[in-house]
Amino acid sequence: MTTKHVWDTYSQDIKGFILSKTKDESVTDDILQETFIKVHNKLQTLKNDDKLKPWLFSVARYTLMDYFKTKKIKVELNDFEVTETFENHEHTEKDCLRGILVNLPKKYREPIFLSDIMGLKQKEVAKRLNLS
């Protein structure tokens, strides 16, 4: 699967999600572009194409959170839940991990998500979250 195919298929859905949170077309376009740069860089790490759409929304959600964090805008994590339902698929280890992540405190949830789900190196995670 190519980034162009993913863009053609899902960019409007992701853009709608981002716009619903930012309420600003210009900011939305910037965040959408940043989201797809991340997608392009990590697409080959996605092992199950059936999980593509939920993964895309996760990348968009964390890109939004990064944006709000850099702008020092306070938002609730619950505001970033995706209301769209996804088709039922076989329950996997990643599904379990996501369920566990939701219940973790933020200081543990973010580093684990960024390293284990997004595939970032621990050094990159530490730099992004200003941790040692």
Side-chain angles (χ1 to χ4, degrees):
M1 178 164 313
T2 65
T3 305
K4 180 171 180 1
H5 174 73
V6 174
W7 173 269
D8 292 342
T9 306
Y10 297 108
S11 64
Q12 290 305 311
D13 293 340
I14 301 296
K15 183 175 182 173
F17 169 70
I18 296 168
L19 186 59
S20 74
K21 306 303 178 198
T22 64
K23 312 289 190 243
D24 183 318
E25 190 79 31
S26 175
V27 170
T28 295
D29 289 339
D30 290 344
I31 295 172
L32 181 66
Q33 181 178 17
E34 188 173 337
T35 297
F36 272 88
I37 289 170
K38 292 175 183 177
V39 167
H40 176 73
N41 289 332
K42 298 295 180 180
L43 186 60
Q44 73 282 357
T45 66
L46 186 66
K47 305 222 184 311
N48 184 348
D49 288 347
D50 293 338
K51 302 295 181 185
L52 176 62
K53 192 169 184 179
W55 178 71
L56 289 171
F57 276 93
S58 293
V59 173
R61 182 172 53 247
Y62 277 91
T63 304
L64 271 163
M65 289 171 54
D66 287 346
Y67 167 77
F68 286 126
K69 189 175 183 179
T70 60
K71 296 296 181 185
K72 296 186 178 14
I73 300 170
K74 298 245 184 216
V75 293
E76 289 295 318
L77 185 59
N78 293 340
D79 294 343
F80 287 90
E81 292 303 314
V82 178
T83 56
E84 183 173 341
T85 58
F86 302 103
E87 299 173 22
N88 286 335
H89 296 286
E90 183 178 321
H91 191 70
T92 66
E93 290 175 4
K94 278 196 173 184
D95 296 327
C96 290
L97 182 58
R98 283 192 177 99
I100 292 167
L101 282 175
V102 169
N103 294 315
L104 284 175
K106 183 180 179 182
K107 70 179 187 177
Y108 300 117
R109 180 178 52 236
E110 285 185 339
I112 291 172
F113 176 84
L114 291 171
S115 66
D116 293 343
I117 304 294
M118 295 285 294
L120 296 177
K121 303 271 186 217
Q122 289 184 0
K123 192 172 187 177
E124 294 174 76
V125 172
K127 184 177 178 183
R128 180 179 282 191
L129 299 177
N130 297 319
L131 299 171
S132 58

